[in-house]
Coordinates of all heavy atoms in Angstrom, one line a residue:
M1 N -21.7 0.9 23.8 CA -20.3 1.1 23.3 C -20.4 0.9 21.7 O -20.8 0.0 21.2 CB -19.4 -0.1 23.8 CG -18.0 0.3 24.1 SD -17.6 1.8 24.8 CE -15.7 1.6 25.0
N2 N -20.0 2.1 21.1 CA -19.9 2.1 19.6 C -18.6 2.7 19.2 O -18.5 3.7 18.6 CB -21.2 2.9 19.3 CG -21.3 2.9 17.7 OD1 -20.8 1.8 17.1 ND2 -22.0 3.8 17.3
S3 N -17.6 1.8 19.4 CA -16.2 2.3 18.9 C -16.0 1.8 17.6 O -16.0 0.6 17.4 CB -15.2 2.0 20.0 OG -15.1 0.5 20.0
K4 N -15.5 2.7 16.6 CA -15.1 2.2 15.3 C -13.7 2.5 15.3 O -13.2 3.7 15.3 CB -15.8 3.0 14.3 CG -17.3 2.6 14.0 CD -17.9 3.3 12.8 CE -19.3 3.0 12.7 NZ -20.0 3.8 11.7
S5 N -12.9 1.4 15.3 CA -11.4 1.6 15.0 C -11.0 1.7 13.6 O -9.9 2.1 13.3 CB -10.8 0.6 15.9 OG -11.1 -0.7 15.3
E6 N -11.9 1.2 12.8 CA -11.6 1.0 11.4 C -11.9 2.2 10.7 O -13.0 2.8 10.7 CB -12.4 -0.2 10.9 CG -11.8 -0.9 9.7 CD -12.7 -2.0 9.1 OE1 -13.5 -2.4 9.9 OE2 -12.4 -2.3 8.0
K7 N -11.0 2.8 9.9 CA -11.1 4.0 9.0 C -11.6 3.4 7.7 O -10.8 2.7 7.0 CB -9.9 4.8 8.8 CG -9.7 5.8 9.9 CD -8.6 6.8 9.6 CE -8.2 7.5 10.9 NZ -7.0 8.3 10.6
R8 N -12.8 3.7 7.3 CA -13.3 3.4 5.9 C -13.7 4.6 5.1 O -14.3 5.5 5.6 CB -14.4 2.4 6.1 CG -13.9 1.1 6.8 CD -14.9 0.0 6.4 NE -15.0 -0.2 5.0 CZ -15.7 -1.2 4.4 NH1 -16.4 -1.9 5.2 NH2 -15.7 -1.3 3.1
L9 N -13.4 4.5 3.8 CA -13.7 5.5 2.9 C -15.0 5.1 2.3 O -15.4 3.9 2.2 CB -12.6 5.7 1.8 CG -11.3 6.2 2.3 CD1 -10.5 6.1 1.0 CD2 -11.4 7.6 2.7
P10 N -15.8 6.1 1.9 CA -17.1 5.6 1.1 C -16.8 4.8 0.0 O -15.8 5.0 -0.7 CB -17.6 7.1 0.8 CG -16.9 8.0 1.7 CD -15.7 7.5 2.0
S11 N -17.6 3.8 -0.3 CA -17.3 3.0 -1.4 C -17.2 3.7 -2.7 O -16.6 3.1 -3.6 CB -18.4 1.8 -1.6 OG -19.7 2.5 -1.7
S12 N -17.7 4.9 -2.8 CA -17.7 5.6 -4.1 C -16.3 6.0 -4.5 O -16.0 6.3 -5.6 CB -18.5 6.8 -4.0 OG -18.2 7.7 -3.0
V13 N -15.5 6.2 -3.4 CA -14.1 6.6 -3.7 C -13.1 5.6 -3.7 O -11.9 5.7 -3.9 CB -13.7 7.8 -2.8 CG1 -14.5 8.9 -2.9 CG2 -13.6 7.3 -1.3
E14 N -13.5 4.4 -3.3 CA -12.4 3.3 -3.1 C -11.7 2.9 -4.4 O -10.7 2.4 -4.3 CB -13.2 2.1 -2.4 CG -13.1 2.1 -0.9 CD -13.8 1.0 -0.3 OE1 -14.4 0.1 -1.0 OE2 -13.8 0.8 1.1
V15 N -12.4 3.0 -5.4 CA -11.9 2.4 -6.7 C -10.9 3.4 -7.3 O -10.2 3.0 -8.3 CB -13.0 2.1 -7.7 CG1 -13.8 0.8 -7.2 CG2 -13.9 3.1 -8.0
H16 N -10.9 4.8 -7.0 CA -10.1 5.8 -7.5 C -8.7 5.7 -7.0 O -8.3 5.0 -6.2 CB -10.8 7.1 -7.5 CG -12.2 7.1 -8.2 ND1 -12.3 7.0 -9.4 CD2 -13.4 7.3 -7.6 CE1 -13.6 7.0 -9.7 NE2 -14.1 7.3 -8.5
M17 N -7.9 6.6 -7.5 CA -6.7 6.9 -6.8 C -6.9 7.3 -5.4 O -7.9 7.8 -5.0 CB -5.9 8.1 -7.6 CG -5.3 7.7 -8.9 SD -3.8 6.7 -8.5 CE -2.8 7.9 -7.8
P18 N -5.9 7.0 -4.5 CA -6.2 7.4 -3.1 C -6.3 9.0 -3.0 O -5.7 9.6 -3.8 CB -4.7 7.0 -2.5 CG -3.9 6.7 -3.6 CD -4.5 6.3 -4.8
I19 N -7.2 9.2 -2.1 CA -7.5 10.5 -1.8 C -6.8 11.0 -0.6 O -6.5 10.1 0.3 CB -9.1 10.9 -1.8 CG1 -9.6 10.1 -0.7 CG2 -9.7 10.7 -3.1 CD1 -10.9 10.7 -0.3
C20 N -6.5 12.3 -0.4 CA -5.9 12.7 0.8 C -6.7 12.6 2.0 O -7.7 13.3 2.0 CB -5.4 14.2 0.5 SG -4.6 14.9 2.0
F21 N -6.3 12.0 3.0 CA -7.1 11.8 4.2 C -7.2 13.2 5.0 O -8.2 13.4 5.7 CB -6.5 10.8 5.3 CG -6.4 9.4 4.7 CD1 -5.3 8.9 4.0 CD2 -7.7 8.6 4.8 CE1 -5.4 7.6 3.5 CE2 -7.8 7.5 4.3 CZ -6.7 6.9 3.7
E22 N -6.2 14.0 4.9 CA -6.3 15.2 5.7 C -7.4 16.3 5.0 O -8.0 16.7 5.8 CB -4.8 16.0 5.6 CG -3.7 15.3 6.3 CD -4.0 15.2 7.8 OE1 -4.6 16.1 8.4 OE2 -3.7 14.0 8.4
C23 N -7.3 16.2 3.7 CA -8.4 17.0 3.0 C -9.7 16.4 3.2 O -10.7 17.0 3.3 CB -8.1 17.1 1.5 SG -6.5 18.0 1.0
Y24 N -9.8 15.1 3.2 CA -11.1 14.4 3.4 C -11.6 14.8 4.7 O -12.8 14.8 4.9 CB -10.9 12.9 3.3 CG -12.1 12.1 3.4 CD1 -12.9 12.0 2.2 CD2 -12.4 11.3 4.5 CE1 -14.1 11.3 2.3 CE2 -13.5 10.6 4.5 CZ -14.4 10.7 3.3 OH -15.6 9.9 3.4
K25 N -10.8 15.0 5.8 CA -11.3 15.4 7.1 C -11.9 16.7 7.0 O -12.9 17.2 7.8 CB -10.2 15.4 8.0 CG -9.8 13.9 8.7 CD -8.9 14.0 9.9 CE -7.4 13.8 9.5 NZ -6.5 13.9 10.5
D26 N -11.5 17.6 6.2 CA -11.9 18.9 5.9 C -13.1 18.9 5.0 O -13.6 20.0 4.7 CB -10.9 19.9 5.3 CG -9.7 20.1 6.4 OD1 -10.1 19.9 7.8 OD2 -8.6 20.4 6.0
G27 N -13.5 17.8 4.6 CA -14.7 17.6 3.7 C -14.4 17.8 2.3 O -15.4 17.9 1.4
I28 N -13.2 17.9 1.9 CA -12.9 17.9 0.4 C -12.1 16.7 0.0 O -11.4 16.1 0.7 CB -12.1 19.2 0.0 CG1 -11.0 19.4 1.0 CG2 -13.0 20.4 -0.1 CD1 -10.1 20.6 0.6
Q29 N -12.3 16.3 -1.2 CA -11.6 15.1 -1.8 C -10.5 15.7 -2.8 O -10.7 16.1 -3.8 CB -12.6 14.1 -2.5 CG -13.6 13.6 -1.6 CD -14.5 12.6 -2.2 OE1 -14.2 12.2 -3.5 NE2 -15.3 12.0 -1.4
T30 N -9.3 15.4 -2.4 CA -8.1 15.9 -3.2 C -7.5 14.6 -3.6 O -7.1 13.7 -2.8 CB -7.2 16.7 -2.4 OG1 -7.9 17.8 -1.8 CG2 -6.1 17.3 -3.3
E31 N -7.2 14.4 -4.9 CA -6.5 13.3 -5.4 C -5.0 13.3 -5.1 O -4.4 14.3 -5.1 CB -6.7 13.2 -6.9 CG -6.3 11.9 -7.5 CD -6.6 11.8 -9.0 OE1 -7.8 11.7 -9.4 OE2 -5.7 12.0 -9.8
L32 N -4.5 12.2 -4.6 CA -3.0 12.1 -4.3 C -2.3 11.8 -5.6 O -2.8 10.9 -6.3 CB -2.8 11.0 -3.2 CG -3.3 11.4 -1.9 CD1 -3.4 10.2 -1.0 CD2 -2.3 12.4 -1.2
K33 N -1.2 12.4 -5.7 CA -0.4 12.2 -6.9 C 0.9 11.4 -6.5 O 1.5 11.7 -5.5 CB 0.0 13.4 -7.5 CG -1.3 14.3 -8.0 CD -0.9 15.2 -9.2 CE -2.3 15.7 -9.7 NZ -2.8 16.6 -8.8
Y34 N 1.1 10.3 -7.3 CA 2.4 9.5 -7.1 C 3.6 10.5 -7.1 O 3.8 11.1 -8.1 CB 2.3 8.4 -8.1 CG 3.5 7.6 -8.1 CD1 3.8 6.6 -7.1 CD2 4.6 7.8 -8.9 CE1 4.8 5.8 -7.2 CE2 5.7 7.1 -8.9 CZ 5.8 5.9 -8.0 OH 6.9 5.3 -7.9
Q35 N 4.5 10.2 -6.3 CA 5.7 10.9 -6.1 C 6.9 10.1 -6.5 O 7.6 10.3 -7.5 CB 6.0 11.5 -4.8 CG 5.0 12.6 -4.4 CD 5.1 13.9 -5.1 OE1 6.1 14.6 -5.1 NE2 3.9 14.3 -5.7
K36 N 7.0 9.1 -5.7 CA 8.2 8.0 -5.8 C 7.9 6.9 -5.0 O 7.1 6.9 -4.2 CB 9.5 8.7 -5.6 CG 9.6 9.1 -3.9 CD 11.0 9.6 -3.6 CE 11.0 10.0 -2.1 NZ 12.1 10.3 -1.5
S37 N 8.7 5.9 -5.3 CA 8.6 4.6 -4.3 C 10.0 4.3 -4.0 O 10.9 4.4 -4.9 CB 7.6 3.7 -4.8 OG 8.5 2.8 -5.9
T38 N 10.3 3.8 -2.8 CA 11.6 3.2 -2.4 C 11.3 1.9 -1.8 O 10.2 1.6 -1.4 CB 12.3 4.2 -1.5 OG1 11.4 4.1 -0.2 CG2 12.5 5.6 -1.9
S39 N 12.3 1.1 -1.7 CA 12.2 -0.1 -1.0 C 13.5 -0.5 -0.4 O 14.7 0.1 -0.7 CB 11.9 -1.2 -2.0 OG 12.9 -1.6 -2.7
T40 N 13.3 -1.2 0.8 CA 14.5 -1.7 1.4 C 15.3 -2.7 0.5 O 14.7 -3.3 -0.5 CB 14.2 -2.5 2.8 OG1 13.1 -3.3 2.5 CG2 13.7 -1.4 3.9
L41 N 16.6 -2.9 0.8 CA 17.4 -3.5 -0.2 C 17.8 -5.0 0.1 O 18.8 -5.5 0.1 CB 18.7 -2.8 -0.4 CG 18.5 -1.4 -1.1 CD1 19.7 -0.6 -1.0 CD2 18.0 -1.6 -2.5
M42 N 16.7 -5.7 0.7 CA 17.0 -7.2 1.0 C 16.9 -8.0 -0.3 O 16.1 -7.6 -1.2 CB 16.1 -7.6 2.0 CG 16.4 -7.0 3.4 SD 15.4 -7.6 4.7 CE 14.0 -6.6 4.5
S43 N 17.5 -9.2 -0.3 CA 17.6 -9.9 -1.5 C 16.2 -10.8 -1.6 O 15.8 -11.2 -0.6 CB 18.8 -10.8 -1.6 OG 18.8 -11.7 -0.5
V44 N 15.7 -10.9 -2.8 CA 14.5 -11.6 -2.9 C 14.8 -13.1 -3.0 O 15.8 -13.6 -3.7 CB 13.9 -11.2 -4.3 CG1 12.5 -12.0 -4.6 CG2 13.4 -9.7 -4.1
N45 N 14.0 -13.9 -2.4 CA 14.2 -15.4 -2.3 C 13.2 -16.1 -3.4 O 12.1 -16.1 -3.2 CB 14.0 -15.8 -1.0 CG 14.1 -17.4 -0.9 OD1 14.9 -17.9 -1.7 ND2 13.6 -18.0 0.1
E46 N 13.8 -16.5 -4.5 CA 13.0 -17.2 -5.5 C 13.4 -18.6 -5.4 O 14.5 -19.1 -5.5 CB 13.2 -16.6 -6.9 CG 12.4 -15.4 -7.1 CD 12.5 -14.9 -8.5 OE1 13.5 -15.2 -9.1 OE2 11.5 -14.3 -9.1
F47 N 12.4 -19.6 -5.4 CA 12.7 -20.9 -5.4 C 11.5 -21.8 -5.9 O 10.4 -21.3 -5.9 CB 13.0 -21.3 -4.0 CG 11.8 -21.3 -3.1 CD1 11.0 -22.4 -2.8 CD2 11.7 -20.0 -2.3 CE1 9.9 -22.2 -1.8 CE2 10.7 -20.0 -1.4 CZ 9.7 -21.1 -1.2
Y48 N 11.8 -23.0 -6.4 CA 10.7 -23.9 -6.9 C 10.4 -24.8 -5.7 O 11.3 -25.4 -5.0 CB 11.1 -24.6 -8.0 CG 11.3 -23.9 -9.3 CD1 12.6 -23.3 -9.5 CD2 10.2 -23.6 -10.1 CE1 12.8 -22.5 -10.8 CE2 10.4 -22.9 -11.3 CZ 11.8 -22.2 -11.6 OH 11.7 -21.4 -12.6
D49 N 9.1 -25.1 -5.5 CA 8.7 -26.0 -4.4 C 8.7 -27.4 -5.0 O 9.0 -27.6 -6.2 CB 7.3 -25.5 -3.8 CG 6.2 -25.6 -4.8 OD1 6.3 -26.2 -5.9 OD2 5.1 -24.9 -4.4
E50 N 8.2 -28.5 -4.1 CA 8.2 -29.7 -4.7 C 7.4 -30.0 -6.0 O 7.6 -30.9 -6.7 CB 7.7 -30.7 -3.6 CG 8.2 -30.6 -2.2 CD 7.5 -29.3 -1.4 OE1 6.3 -29.6 -1.2 OE2 8.0 -28.4 -1.2
G51 N 6.4 -29.2 -6.1 CA 5.5 -29.3 -7.3 C 6.2 -28.5 -8.5 O 5.5 -28.4 -9.6
G52 N 7.3 -28.0 -8.3 CA 7.9 -27.2 -9.5 C 7.3 -25.9 -9.6 O 7.4 -25.3 -10.9
V53 N 6.7 -25.3 -8.8 CA 6.0 -24.0 -8.8 C 6.9 -23.0 -8.2 O 7.6 -23.0 -7.1 CB 4.8 -24.1 -8.1 CG1 4.0 -22.6 -8.3 CG2 3.8 -25.2 -8.7
L54 N 7.2 -21.9 -9.1 CA 8.0 -20.9 -8.6 C 7.4 -20.0 -7.6 O 6.4 -19.4 -7.8 CB 8.4 -20.1 -9.8 CG 9.5 -18.8 -9.6 CD1 10.8 -19.4 -9.0 CD2 9.7 -18.1 -10.8
H55 N 8.1 -19.9 -6.4 CA 7.7 -18.8 -5.3 C 8.4 -17.7 -5.4 O 9.8 -17.7 -5.8 CB 7.9 -19.5 -4.0 CG 6.9 -20.6 -3.6 ND1 5.9 -20.5 -2.7 CD2 6.6 -21.7 -4.3 CE1 5.2 -21.5 -2.6 NE2 5.6 -22.4 -3.6
H56 N 7.9 -16.5 -5.2 CA 8.8 -15.2 -5.2 C 8.6 -14.6 -3.8 O 7.5 -13.9 -3.6 CB 8.1 -14.4 -6.3 CG 8.8 -13.0 -6.7 ND1 10.1 -13.0 -7.4 CD2 8.7 -11.9 -6.1 CE1 10.4 -11.7 -7.4 NE2 9.6 -11.1 -6.7
H57 N 9.5 -14.9 -2.9 CA 9.5 -14.3 -1.7 C 10.3 -13.0 -1.4 O 11.5 -13.1 -1.3 CB 9.8 -15.3 -0.5 CG 8.9 -16.4 -0.5 ND1 8.9 -17.4 0.4 CD2 7.8 -16.7 -1.3 CE1 7.9 -18.3 0.4 NE2 7.3 -17.9 -0.9
D58 N 9.5 -11.8 -1.4 CA 10.3 -10.6 -1.3 C 10.1 -10.0 0.0 O 9.1 -9.6 0.5 CB 9.6 -9.6 -2.4 CG 10.3 -8.3 -2.6 OD1 11.2 -8.0 -1.8 OD2 9.9 -7.5 -3.4
P59 N 11.2 -10.0 0.8 CA 11.1 -9.5 2.2 C 11.2 -8.1 2.3 O 11.1 -7.4 3.4 CB 12.3 -10.1 2.8 CG 13.4 -10.0 1.8 CD 12.5 -10.4 0.4
N60 N 11.3 -7.3 1.1 CA 11.3 -5.7 1.2 C 10.1 -5.2 1.5 O 9.1 -5.7 1.1 CB 11.8 -5.3 -0.1 CG 13.3 -5.7 -0.4 OD1 14.1 -5.3 0.3 ND2 13.4 -6.7 -1.3
V61 N 10.1 -3.9 2.2 CA 8.9 -3.2 2.4 C 9.1 -2.0 1.3 O 10.1 -1.3 1.2 CB 8.9 -2.6 3.8 CG1 7.7 -1.8 3.8 CG2 8.6 -3.7 4.8
H62 N 8.0 -1.7 0.5 CA 8.1 -0.8 -0.4 C 7.4 0.5 0.0 O 6.1 0.3 0.4 CB 7.5 -1.3 -1.8 CG 8.1 -2.3 -2.5 ND1 9.1 -2.3 -3.3 CD2 8.2 -3.7 -2.2 CE1 9.5 -3.4 -3.8 NE2 9.1 -4.3 -2.9
S63 N 8.0 1.6 0.0 CA 7.2 2.9 0.6 C 6.9 3.6 -0.7 O 7.8 4.0 -1.5 CB 8.2 3.7 1.5 OG 8.7 2.9 2.5
V64 N 5.6 3.9 -0.8 CA 5.1 4.6 -2.0 C 4.6 6.0 -1.5 O 3.9 6.1 -0.6 CB 3.9 3.8 -2.6 CG1 3.5 4.5 -3.9 CG2 4.3 2.4 -3.0
Y65 N 5.3 7.0 -2.1 CA 5.0 8.4 -1.7 C 4.0 9.0 -2.5 O 3.9 9.1 -3.7 CB 6.3 9.3 -1.7 CG 7.3 8.7 -0.7 CD1 8.0 7.6 -1.0 CD2 7.6 9.5 0.5 CE1 9.0 7.2 0.0 CE2 8.4 9.1 1.4 CZ 9.2 7.8 1.1 OH 10.1 7.5 2.1
Y66 N 3.0 9.8 -1.9 CA 1.9 10.5 -2.6 C 1.9 11.9 -2.0 O 2.2 12.1 -0.8 CB 0.6 9.8 -2.5 CG 0.4 8.6 -3.2 CD1 0.7 7.3 -2.4 CD2 0.1 8.4 -4.4 CE1 0.5 6.1 -2.9 CE2 0.0 7.2 -5.1 CZ 0.1 6.0 -4.4 OH 0.0 4.8 -4.8
K67 N 1.5 12.8 -2.8 CA 1.3 14.2 -2.3 C 0.1 14.7 -2.9 O -0.3 14.5 -4.1 CB 2.5 15.0 -2.7 CG 2.7 16.2 -1.9 CD 4.1 17.0 -2.4 CE 4.6 17.9 -1.4 NZ 5.9 18.4 -1.7
C68 N -0.7 15.6 -2.1 CA -1.8 16.1 -2.7 C -1.6 17.6 -3.1 O -0.6 18.1 -2.9 CB -3.0 16.1 -1.7 SG -3.1 17.5 -0.5
D69 N -2.6 18.3 -3.6 CA -2.4 19.7 -4.2 C -2.2 20.6 -3.0 O -1.6 21.7 -3.3 CB -3.6 20.1 -5.0 CG -3.7 19.3 -6.4 OD1 -2.6 18.9 -6.7 OD2 -4.8 19.3 -7.0
K70 N -2.5 20.3 -1.8 CA -2.5 21.1 -0.8 C -1.2 21.0 -0.1 O -0.9 21.6 0.9 CB -3.7 21.0 0.1 CG -5.0 21.2 -0.5 CD -5.9 22.3 0.2 CE -7.2 22.5 -0.4 NZ -7.0 23.1 -1.8
G71 N -0.4 20.0 -0.5 CA 0.8 19.8 0.1 C 1.0 18.7 1.2 O 2.0 18.4 1.8
H72 N -0.2 18.1 1.4 CA -0.1 16.9 2.4 C 0.5 15.7 1.8 O 0.6 15.5 0.6 CB -1.6 16.5 2.8 CG -2.4 17.6 3.4 ND1 -3.6 18.0 2.9 CD2 -2.1 18.4 4.5 CE1 -4.1 19.0 3.8 NE2 -3.2 19.3 4.6
E73 N 1.3 15.0 2.6 CA 2.0 13.9 2.1 C 1.5 12.6 2.7 O 1.1 12.6 4.0 CB 3.5 14.0 2.4 CG 4.2 15.1 1.6 CD 5.6 15.2 1.9 OE1 6.0 15.0 2.9 OE2 6.3 15.5 0.8
L74 N 1.4 11.5 2.1 CA 1.0 10.2 2.6 C 2.1 9.2 2.0 O 2.4 9.3 0.9 CB -0.3 9.9 2.0 CG -1.0 8.6 2.3 CD1 -1.6 8.6 3.7 CD2 -1.8 8.1 1.5
I75 N 2.4 8.3 2.9 CA 3.3 7.2 2.5 C 2.6 5.9 2.8 O 2.2 5.7 3.8 CB 4.6 7.2 3.4 CG1 5.4 8.6 3.2 CG2 5.6 6.1 2.9 CD1 6.5 8.8 4.2
L76 N 2.5 5.1 1.7 CA 1.7 3.9 1.8 C 2.8 2.8 1.9 O 3.9 2.7 1.1 CB 0.8 3.6 0.6 CG -0.4 4.5 0.5 CD1 -1.1 4.0 -0.7 CD2 -1.3 4.3 1.9
L77 N 2.8 1.9 2.8 CA 3.7 0.7 2.9 C 3.1 -0.5 2.3 O 2.1 -0.9 2.5 CB 4.1 0.5 4.3 CG 4.9 1.8 5.1 CD1 5.2 1.3 6.5 CD2 6.0 2.1 4.3
E78 N 3.9 -1.1 1.4 CA 3.3 -2.2 0.7 C 4.4 -3.3 0.8 O 5.6 -3.2 0.8 CB 3.3 -1.9 -0.9 CG 2.1 -1.0 -1.1 CD 2.0 -0.7 -2.7 OE1 2.7 -1.2 -3.4 OE2 1.1 0.0 -2.9
K79 N 3.8 -4.5 1.3 CA 4.6 -5.7 1.6 C 4.2 -6.8 0.5 O 3.0 -7.1 0.6 CB 4.5 -6.2 3.0 CG 5.1 -5.3 4.1 CD 4.9 -5.9 5.5 CE 5.4 -4.9 6.4 NZ 5.1 -5.5 7.7
P80 N 5.0 -7.1 -0.5 CA 4.7 -8.1 -1.4 C 4.2 -9.4 -0.9 O 4.9 -9.8 0.2 CB 6.0 -8.2 -2.3 CG 6.8 -7.0 -2.0 CD 6.4 -6.7 -0.5
V81 N 3.4 -10.1 -1.4 CA 3.0 -11.4 -0.9 C 3.1 -12.2 -2.1 O 2.9 -12.1 -3.2 CB 1.4 -11.2 -0.6 CG1 0.8 -12.6 -0.2 CG2 1.1 -10.3 0.7
C82 N 3.6 -13.5 -1.6 CA 3.8 -14.6 -2.6 C 2.4 -15.1 -3.2 O 1.6 -15.4 -2.4 CB 4.5 -15.8 -2.0 SG 4.7 -17.2 -3.1
G83 N 2.4 -15.0 -4.5 CA 1.0 -15.4 -5.2 C 0.8 -16.8 -5.1 O -0.3 -17.2 -5.3
V84 N 1.8 -17.6 -4.6 CA 1.6 -19.1 -4.6 C 1.1 -19.6 -3.2 O 0.1 -20.2 -3.1 CB 2.9 -19.8 -5.0 CG1 2.7 -21.3 -5.1 CG2 3.3 -19.4 -6.4
C85 N 1.9 -19.1 -2.3 CA 1.6 -19.7 -0.9 C 1.1 -18.6 0.1 O 0.7 -18.9 1.2 CB 2.9 -20.5 -0.3 SG 4.1 -19.3 0.2
G86 N 1.0 -17.4 -0.4 CA 0.6 -16.4 0.5 C 1.6 -15.8 1.5 O 1.3 -15.0 2.4
W87 N 2.9 -16.3 1.4 CA 3.9 -15.8 2.2 C 4.0 -14.2 2.2 O 3.7 -13.7 1.0 CB 5.2 -16.4 1.7 CG 6.4 -16.1 2.5 CD1 7.1 -16.6 3.6 CD2 7.2 -14.7 2.2 NE1 8.1 -15.7 3.9 CE2 8.1 -14.6 3.1 CE3 7.0 -13.7 1.4 CZ2 9.1 -13.6 3.2 CZ3 8.1 -12.6 1.2 CH2 9.1 -12.6 2.3
P88 N 4.3 -13.5 3.3 CA 4.5 -14.1 4.6 C 3.4 -14.3 5.5 O 3.6 -14.6 6.6 CB 5.4 -13.0 5.2 CG 4.8 -11.7 4.5 CD 4.4 -12.1 3.1
D89 N 2.2 -14.1 5.1 CA 1.0 -14.1 5.9 C 0.6 -15.6 5.9 O 0.0 -15.9 7.0 CB -0.2 -13.3 5.4 CG 0.1 -11.8 5.5 OD1 0.9 -11.5 6.3 OD2 -0.3 -11.2 4.6
D90 N 0.8 -16.4 5.0 CA 0.4 -17.8 5.0 C -1.0 -18.0 5.2 O -1.4 -18.3 6.4 CB 1.2 -18.6 6.0 CG 1.2 -20.0 5.6 OD1 0.6 -20.4 4.6 OD2 1.8 -20.8 6.5
Ligands
ZN1 ZN1 -4.5 17.1 1.4
ZN2 ZN1 5.6 -18.8 -1.7

């Protein structure tokens, strides 16, 4: 059994702008261009913990839109993580 569920890009392209997965399947690397980003409109919870450290808990999901030269679209979902406690993943 040799099943790979994980999609990985070659390490040579990981550091660049995201490339188009559709084009990548056809063997070409097309750079995705940033279009816009939107986010849900929930209020951000900021508070100080017992140690006086500020936590920034943002429950919003940010959708970042990209498009390649061939017209393929990609939406990346980003969930902010608290830099202090790792919320919401903990
Ligand atoms: Zn493409
Ligand atoms: Zn936190």
Side-chain angles (χ1 to χ4, degrees):
M1 211 47 177
N2 185 21
S3 64
K4 283 184 185 171
S5 57
E6 206 182 341
K7 270 188 195 169
R8 295 203 55 176
L9 295 173
S11 56
S12 58
V13 297
E14 272 177 352
V15 291
H16 298 298
M17 279 291 292
I19 59 162
C20 177
F21 290 102
E22 294 300 321
C23 291
Y24 186 73
K25 277 191 267 179
D26 294 335
I28 45 176
Q29 292 184 10
T30 309
E31 198 175 277
L32 288 163
K33 302 215 168 59
Y34 172 81
Q35 301 287 301
K36 62 172 178 174
S37 75
T38 62
S39 76
T40 46
L41 294 170
M42 290 184 277
S43 59
V44 176
N45 182 21
E46 279 189 330
F47 63 93
Y48 291 92
D49 64 17
E50 311 86 66
V53 182
L54 180 65
H55 288 242
H56 187 84
H57 290 191
D58 183 353
N60 295 292
V61 177
H62 300 261
S63 304
V64 188
Y65 293 76
Y66 294 94
K67 202 175 198 176
C68 84
D69 287 341
K70 305 238 183 289
H72 301 127
E73 287 178 329
L74 179 83
I75 304 169
L76 295 178
L77 297 180
E78 291 180 357
K79 289 181 185 175
V81 175
C82 176
V84 180
C85 70
W87 176 96
D89 291 333
D90 202 4

